[in-house]
Amino acid sequence: MAVGGKTRNMFEGLVKEGSFKWLLGKKSYFDEELEEMEHSPSAGRNFIRELSPVANLVVRRCSKILKTSSIDLQESFNQEASDSIKHPSRYARHLLEYCCFKALFLTTQMTGHLFDKTFRRLTFDMMLAWEVPAADSQPLTSKVDEEVSVGLEAFCRIAPSIPIIADVIISENLFEALSSSTDGRLQFPIYDKYLSGLERFEIIP
């Protein structure tokens, strides 16, 4: 499907400016993914104007897992969610959660999902997107060595959706333990190391 002029201009502007400098202060792996998204024939079906760039990329990954498009996921959300859930002040975050939880439900049924670093990175990026879900979200600022990080609320919202990682009872204490050396913000290397340590607890047939 051809990409509309407005959407293409948005993509081109983000790529030219180094789209995620607002997020990391430097070129990141998000930029490469955004460029791929821009040049994809299905780009017009994978951009949701209400979402921030990072939320759009996370939803796009979810759509690939679910074998659909971002726009189709949005249409399903609009049909299924109540008016209060779709209130403009909460729309972006609830739409993001809807897409994330559907993708996580599917992927966590697969044995050995924690062995997949792509999956581990996706779950962290879901938390990252949760903090800045809307197109008008304020840029993230990193407090520790310019390493992008996530906060308690985002962790407690996403992590319990992956039962082997955490549950709603222990998630806050777990976050505090994992972020104790990084000023209360969780960085991916620490999160990834924790998940790698959980791999041996997965049941392998």
Side-chain angles (χ1 to χ4, degrees), residues 11 14 19-20 22-23 28-38 46-48 51-64 70 96 122 125-126 129:
F11 282 135
L14 289 172
S19 59
F20 289 96
W22 65 274
L23 182 67
S28 74
Y29 71 96
F30 282 117
D31 289 293
E32 295 179 2
E33 190 173 355
L34 189 70
E35 289 182 26
E36 177 193 343
M37 184 175 176
E38 178 202 357
N46 285 298
F47 171 73
I48 298 173
L51 299 183
S52 67
V54 65
N56 262 297
L57 293 183
V58 167
V59 169
R60 180 177 182 246
R61 291 186 223 165
C62 292
S63 72
K64 287 183 176 181
S70 297
L96 174 69
L122 172 60
D125 290 343
M126 287 176 175

Side-chain angles (χ1 to χ4, degrees), residues 3 26 30 53 64 82 85 93 95 118 140 146 177 184 202:
V3 183
K26 57 185 177 181
F30 282 117
K64 287 183 176 181
S82 65
I85 293 294
R93 180 164 286 157
L95 171 58
T118 300
L140 287 177
E146 297 185 353
E202 285 205 298

Side-chain angles (χ1 to χ4, degrees), residues 64-80:
K64 287 183 176 181
I65 291 170
L66 297 166
K67 300 185 185 305
T68 186
S69 70
S70 297
I71 294 299
D72 286 341
L73 281 173
Q74 183 183 29
E75 290 174 355
S76 295
F77 172 77
N78 288 340
Q79 291 173 5
E80 297 174 21

Side-chain angles (χ1 to χ4, degrees), residues 154-169:
F155 180 84
C156 290
R157 187 59 178 157
I158 300 298
S161 299
I162 310 123
I164 196 171
I165 295 179
D167 59 41
V168 293
I169 297 174

Side-chain angles (χ1 to χ4, degrees), residues 18 33 37 43 54-55 61 82 130-131 148 151 153 170 186 194:
E33 190 173 355
M37 184 175 176
V54 65
R61 291 186 223 165
S82 65
W130 191 91
E131 292 195 324
V148 69
E153 282 190 85
I170 70 163
L186 178 60
Y194 167 68

Side-chain angles (χ1 to χ4, degrees), residues 120-132:
R120 301 199 299 265
R121 183 75 221 196
L122 172 60
T123 62
F124 186 84
D125 290 343
M126 287 176 175
M127 300 175 200
L128 192 63
W130 191 91
E131 292 195 324
V132 286

